[in-house]
Amino acid sequence: MKVLGISGTLVGSKTRILVEHILQQLQQQYPECKIELLDLKEYKLELCDGRPTDQYNEDTQKVILKIEEADAFLIGTTILHGSIPSALKNLFELVPVSAFTDKFTAFAANGGNPLHYLAIENYVKPIASYLKMLSLPEYVFALSSDFDGQNRLVKETKLKEVDQFVEHYASVLQQFYKIKVGS
């Protein structure tokens, strides 16, 4: 069982920090799970233009393969102006729908405006639905104020929320993939 955490932004560090924190918690809750982080900052993805996957550059092909090989996802994004970054949207366009189909997905986002959580419900989840992902109903949304000056997630209420989120996600993954493998 492999969970791929995706830090889906090219700006800032809070998204990656949030995704890493959740993945570390998930590894503690579900130690038999293989965890990997995919940070879009570390790859030079080409813009999707509809050509076959094998005609994109090596980085783009590597990222698509990582997604195809994953069993589940934790997708992290920053919310900018009420939407997701173009790098994440491009990723969704590059990867065949079949790579996401019937794979459990959880979301984590960060933003500066408390109302930016609405972008998960109104923008991210519809994309996930179109891509046929199985989405965890809850998600983590962190404000800038949940981090300290060194961008560490420190707000006690947010840390507890993450713990509960991870506990539920780990439970769902264990139940779903046990049933899926056993059927």
Side-chain angles (χ1 to χ4, degrees):
M1 164 68 189
K2 179 180 176 182
V3 175
L4 182 65
I6 300 171
S7 178
T9 185
L10 303 180
V11 297
S13 59
K14 289 180 179 78
T15 302
R16 180 184 174 123
I17 290 164
L18 182 60
V19 169
E20 282 180 319
H21 181 82
I22 293 169
L23 290 175
Q24 289 167 358
Q25 296 291 102
L26 184 61
Q27 188 72 74
Q28 290 173 3
Q29 294 266 340
Y30 195 4
E32 61 272 21
C33 183
K34 182 179 179 193
I35 304 284
E36 184 177 350
L37 175 68
L38 170 67
D39 188 341
L40 294 186
K41 283 183 184 180
E42 297 173 356
Y43 296 89
K44 301 257 186 249
L45 296 184
E46 291 187 277
L47 289 176
C48 180
D49 61 11
R51 65 190 127 141
T53 303
D54 63 353
Q55 292 181 14
Y56 285 101
N57 69 19
E58 187 178 337
D59 274 1
T60 303
Q61 290 182 46
K62 280 182 193 176
V63 167
I64 292 170
L65 183 61
K66 285 178 184 288
I67 290 171
E68 290 173 334
E69 291 175 342
D71 298 303
F73 304 102
L74 168 66
I75 298 176
T77 184
T78 189
I79 305 296
L80 302 165
H81 305 292
S83 185
I84 63 173
S86 59
L88 183 57
K89 179 71 167 70
N90 184 55
L91 178 69
F92 289 146
E93 293 173 353
L94 283 165
V95 179
V97 172
S98 61
F100 292 112
T101 299
D102 294 334
K103 294 182 181 180
F104 249 98
T105 305
F107 299 100
N110 62 286
N113 181 327
L115 294 176
H116 279 164
Y117 81 92
L118 293 168
I120 299 169
E121 290 293 337
N122 297 319
Y123 193 77
V124 178
K125 284 188 172 185
I127 292 171
S129 178
Y130 175 80
L131 295 172
K132 298 179 175 69
M133 296 178 198
L134 304 173
S135 297
L136 198 64
E138 68 266 25
Y139 46 84
V140 172
F141 179 74
L143 289 167
S144 298
S145 59
D146 294 325
F147 297 85
D148 68 9
Q150 286 76 45
N151 283 337
R152 292 178 298 208
L153 190 61
V154 294
K155 192 169 184 183
E156 197 59 40
T157 54
K158 189 56 59 181
L159 291 168
K160 287 180 184 176
E161 179 186 329
V162 167
D163 288 345
Q164 292 171 341
F165 171 80
V166 170
E167 187 175 310
H168 185 222
Y169 189 44
S171 173
V172 167
L173 291 175
Q174 288 170 328
Q175 291 173 31
F176 180 75
Y177 287 100
K178 182 178 8 171
I179 291 168
K180 190 175 178 183
V181 171
S183 42

